[in-house]
Amino acid sequence: MAGRKTTVKIVKAPKKIKQMAIYGKGGIGKSTTTSNLSAALSDLGYKVMQFGCDPKADSTNTLRNGADIPTILDLLREKGRVDARDAIREGYNGIYCVEAGGPSPGVGCAGRGIITAVQLLKQQNVFEDLDLDYVIYDVLGDVVCGGFAVPIREGIAQHVFTVSSSDFMAIYAANNLFKGIRKYSDAGGALLGGLIANGVSSGYQRSVVDDFVLQTGTGVIQYVPRSVTVTMSELSGRTTIEAAPESDQAEVYRELARRIEKHGESKTPNPMEPPELRKWAAKWSERILAAERGEIESAGAGI
Ligand SMILES: Nc1ncnc2c1ncn2[C@@H]1O[C@H](COP(=O)(O)OP(=O)(O)OP(=O)(O)O)[C@@H](O)[C@H]1O
Ligand SMILES: [Mg+2]
C-alpha cells in the first residue's frame, strides 16, 4: 500500500448565521438602534440583513438615504408569486434590506406579514445563498399577537435584545416580552441576549434600568444616550454611523456592535409578575419624589 495517495475531501461546515430579533415598546428607538447596529456590524466586515417586521415598513429607511422599498406583502399582493430577491434591496455598505410589510389597513393580523415573509425567504434559501453572518429582525414590541412572536417562537432568531428607556411603559413592554420569551423557551424559542438602554442619561434613569435587569436576571448590553446627532442623521436620511462616523454617538453604536459580536449564550429571563412590578414601580416613584423634594441626595443611590 506504500505510496498510495490519500485524497482528503474537505467539507466546509455550513456557516452559522446569527439571527437576532430586536423588540421594544413603540417609538422607543428600535429601528434607529437596529440600523446603526447593522451599519456598525457591516463596517466590521460582516454580511448583514436587516429585516423590518413592522407593517409601517420604515425599519431600513436610514440605511437607504430615506428611500422606501417595496414590501414582501405588497409584492405578493401585486404579483401573486414573488422572487424574494426582488424584495431585497442593498443599503449602506451592502447591507441587505427587507421589509415584511403588513395587510391592507384594517384587514387581518399585521403579524401575518412576518410569517409570510420569513417563510418566503426560507423556502427560497435566501439566508444561505447570500452567505449572511447576521440577520437582524426589527419587530414591534407587542408579542401578544402570534405573528409578532414568530421570530422568537419558531426558532428563527436565537437571540432577542430589547430596547428600553427608564420609562415605566417601556419597562412594562420589556417585562411582557420576557414573559413571551419564557413561554417559548422550553420549546426551543429564542433567548434573551440583553437590554439596550436607549435615551438613558441621568443617574436615576440608569439606576431604574439597572435595577430592572437585576430583578429580572438579565443585563444591559449597552447604554445609548439621547443625542441630537441621531436626530440630525435621521433628518439627513442616514444612520449616525454613516452621517457622523467621528461622533461619540457613532462610537457608542460601534461598541454595541462589538459587544454583540462577542455575545455568547443568551438566557431565559425572569419576568416580574404584575403585583411585583407594581410594587417595584411604586418604590421608584417614592425614591424619585424624595430626591425631587431633597429628602435624599439621589434617587439612584444605594439600590
Ligand atoms: N438615542 C437617541 N437619541 C436621539 N433620538 C433618538 C434616539 N433613539 C431614537 N431616537 C429617535 O426617536 C424616534 C423614534 O425612533 P425609532 O423610529 O427608531 O423607534 P421605533 O421603536 O422603531 O418606533 P416604532 O415602534 O414606531 O417602529 C426617531 O425619530 C429617532 O430618531
Ligand atoms: Mg421602528
Side-chain angles (χ1 to χ4, degrees):
M1 298 297 276
R4 191 178 155 197
K5 273 195 184 159
T6 330
T7 29
V8 181
K9 200 174 161 200
I10 298 171
V11 183
K12 206 175 151 205
K15 182 154 76 179
K16 201 141 174 51
I17 307 167
K18 270 200 169 175
Q19 308 227 20
M20 300 180 270
I22 313 276
Y23 283 79
K25 176 189 167 291
I28 199 65
K30 298 178 292 292
S31 302
T32 307
T33 312
T34 307
S35 301
N36 277 290
L37 172 61
S38 294
L41 283 169
S42 81
D43 281 347
L44 285 172
Y46 292 109
K47 278 196 173 179
V48 181
M49 174 182 279
Q50 182 163 321
F51 198 118
C53 298
D54 186 327
K56 287 198 305 310
D58 62 352
S59 171
T60 57
N61 282 10
T62 54
L63 292 170
R64 306 191 70 258
N65 291 311
D68 286 337
I69 56 175
T71 72
I72 291 191
L73 284 202
D74 281 347
L75 291 171
L76 273 173
R77 270 193 291 265
E78 276 163 32
K79 302 182 177 176
R81 253 192 68 83
V82 172
D83 181 340
R85 282 154 193 82
D86 292 339
I88 301 169
R89 301 294 162 93
E90 284 193 35
Y92 170 78
N93 212 11
I95 295 169
Y96 297 110
C97 302
V98 182
E99 297 283 354
S104 309
V107 188
C109 162
R112 280 221 60 81
I114 307 172
I115 302 174
T116 311
V118 171
Q119 273 171 358
L120 192 87
L121 265 64
K122 272 186 150 180
Q123 276 162 6
Q124 299 185 13
N125 249 350
V126 171
F127 298 123
E128 291 77 13
D129 290 353
L130 291 177
D131 197 30
L132 298 170
D133 297 297
Y134 289 98
V135 182
I136 314 181
Y137 299 88
D138 172 9
V139 200
L140 280 184
D142 196 335
V143 284
V144 177
C145 161
F148 293 118
V150 164
I152 300 182
R153 197 183 57 195
E154 312 224 329
I156 292 167
Q158 301 101 38
H159 308 278
V160 178
F161 291 89
T162 181
V163 179
S164 180
S165 66
S166 62
D167 290 345
F168 183 64
M169 289 321 289
I171 290 203
Y172 183 85
N175 192 63
N176 270 345
L177 171 71
F178 294 177
K179 286 185 189 168
I181 295 174
R182 217 184 154 80
K183 186 166 159 201
Y184 299 118
S185 63
D186 288 345
L191 298 180
L192 187 75
L195 183 147
I196 301 166
N198 190 39
V200 171
S201 38
S202 79
Y204 93 80
Q205 291 175 338
R206 198 169 166 139
S207 304
V208 168
V209 172
D210 285 348
D211 193 28
F212 172 66
V213 294
L214 186 75
Q215 301 299 326
T216 50
T218 59
V220 173
I221 188 150
Q222 178 63 310
Y223 298 91
V224 181
R226 210 178 156 75
S227 157
V228 73
T229 313
V230 174
T231 313
M232 289 184 326
S233 306
E234 186 187 48
L235 289 171
S236 76
R238 290 172 296 167
T239 60
T240 301
I241 292 288
E242 182 180 11
E246 307 296 331
S247 63
D248 290 348
Q249 190 76 3
E251 188 45 36
V252 170
Y253 290 124
R254 277 194 289 269
E255 180 57 24
L256 170 65
R258 287 191 289 266
R259 289 179 189 177
I260 296 251
E261 183 191 24
K262 283 195 219 110
H263 176 73
E265 293 285 299
S266 288
K267 291 193 274 185
T268 306
N270 194 14
M272 286 191 247
E273 288 307 317
E276 201 186 347
L277 188 62
R278 269 195 297 276
K279 235 171 106 183
W280 178 85
K283 175 189 85 178
W284 276 103
S285 163
E286 280 164 24
R287 272 175 171 272
I288 294 164
L289 194 66
E292 286 282 304
R293 286 185 180 143
E295 293 163 13
I296 56 172
E297 203 179 309
S298 130
I303 56 161

